[in-house]
Amino acid sequence: MSHEIVKTAEQSGTVRDRRITMMMVSGVVAVILAVAAVTLPVPYVVESPGPAINTIGKFNGHPIITVSGHESFPATEGSLDLTTVHLSGGLPDSQINFFEAFTSWLTPSHTVYPAEMIYAPGVSQEAVNSENSAAMTGSQENATAAALKALGIGFESNLAVASIPEDGAAAGILKPDDVLLTVAAKPVTDLSVIQTVLAEGKGAALDVEVLRDGAQKTLTVTPRLGSEGKYLLGVSLQNTFKFPFDVKISLENIGGPSAGMIFALGIMDNLTEGELTGGKAFAGTGTIDPEGSVGAIGGIAQKMIGARENGADYFLAPGANCADVVDHIPKGLQVIKVDTLTEAYDAVSLIGSGKDGSALPTCR
């Protein structure tokens, strides 16, 4: 009898040991799965404050804005900071994990977006960098054009073909870099001329005179009706400029078009005598077109934080971004709403001259 009892106890111990082993294995597996859950890539993009850079100062020991061939007055005081946003995740070669995304959700200065809201599927970091670099170059040219226009300095401006869709009306006829001179015998002074001619022609074939490789050519294009009910030439256009002197903007590893307005202000400050800022700290953001209109940008909440952390007291914000500005203004930062380069310049000039700028328009 006692022998049977001993045997049963041994069997119980064996079962207990097996259960403990299984529990330990299950625990290890659970830990591994938990670690995998927080370290595996997730399809999100995190937007956080990036650096603020003084456009009227120096970068890596060299002036950001330099003018040659025209009298200039480089600033020695104050700041006109361009502001940036740091993006992480969302690309095949740049991803974040669940833990990073979750931490960012809990960080007030960060914003988390689904990747498809920011990037096209399958796009690479190299492609994004290339696009941002091109946008920055175009922004700098537009900034120079807008600044010179605001100062009454003349320059040559043309519309040129940037690209042609394969199924566009001008495919096989026009070429990239063709400068448009006339459309239906009317000089192309701006985009509105082309739009008017196309609307009046109602799809009839028209002559397009272009400058190609230094020679003038007259080509015939038959516009096609687009999805929005308007006749289209079937090209993507870009502004090209010939300025009377050189304006160079030297800045590495910063892309996109959102520094346009601040660049234009920096150029205007460089071309006019005196300190535009009056030694005060300004920052801002906004695209710019050659006519001086200021456009909306992304990530303005993070840009305001970055500006304030870098010491800015005043922030120039596009009026079109006001909905994103309200309730996100850092303490101690005065936000000034602007829709044009002239409004931005006048605001900086007013405060820089020592006058009270508290009545300047803001986002409400």
Side-chain angles (χ1 to χ4, degrees), residues 26-40 42 97-99:
S26 298
V28 171
V29 171
V31 170
I32 292 173
L33 291 175
V35 171
V38 298
T39 57
L40 287 174
V42 291
N97 57 46
F98 176 82
F99 180 76

Side-chain angles (χ1 to χ4, degrees), residues 14-85:
T14 301
V15 171
R16 185 172 60 250
D17 290 344
R18 288 176 179 173
R19 287 177 178 174
I20 292 173
T21 300
M22 290 177 66
M23 290 174 63
M24 291 177 64
V25 172
S26 298
V28 171
V29 171
V31 170
I32 292 173
L33 291 175
V35 171
V38 298
T39 57
L40 287 174
V42 291
Y44 291 100
V45 175
V46 174
E47 205 172 58
S48 58
I53 301 171
N54 183 15
T55 59
I56 55 176
K58 294 183 178 181
F59 186 76
N60 290 336
H62 301 284
I64 292 178
I65 299 174
T66 55
V67 174
S68 56
H70 190 280
E71 186 177 18
S72 60
F73 309 89
T76 58
E77 298 179 0
S79 59
L80 286 170
D81 290 350
L82 66 82
T83 49
T84 64
V85 168

Side-chain angles (χ1 to χ4, degrees), residues 87 119 125-138 254-257:
L87 295 178
Y119 300 119
Q125 184 69 63
E126 182 180 1
V128 171
N129 291 343
S130 177
E131 182 179 343
N132 285 340
S133 178
M136 171 63 87
T137 300
I254 301 292

Side-chain angles (χ1 to χ4, degrees), residues 289-332:
D289 68 15
E291 301 302 313
S293 296
V294 176
I297 50 80
I300 196 165
Q302 285 75 26
K303 290 180 178 181
M304 290 189 295
I305 293 172
R308 187 59 181 152
E309 289 179 346
N310 200 53
D313 298 309
Y314 308 94
F315 190 92
L316 303 166
N321 277 119
C322 272
D324 303 313
V325 169
V326 175
D327 297 330
H328 293 95
I329 303 175
K331 184 178 180 180

Side-chain angles (χ1 to χ4, degrees), residues 213-229:
D213 298 328
Q216 293 186 13
K217 293 179 176 292
T218 300
L219 307 163
T220 301
V221 178
T222 302
R224 296 177 187 172
L225 195 62
S227 58
E228 297 182 359

Side-chain angles (χ1 to χ4, degrees), residues 18 83 113-114 142 151 206 218 236 251 275 282 301 319 345 350:
R18 288 176 179 173
T83 49
Y113 296 101
N142 284 350
L151 294 174
L206 50 83
T218 300
S236 175
L251 194 59
E275 305 285 350
F282 292 85
Y345 183 87
L350 176 75

Side-chain angles (χ1 to χ4, degrees), residues 42-46 88-91 94-96 98 101 105 112-115:
V42 291
Y44 291 100
V45 175
V46 174
S88 56
L91 297 172
S94 174
Q95 297 181 321
I96 61 171
F98 176 82
W105 266 312
V112 182
Y113 296 101

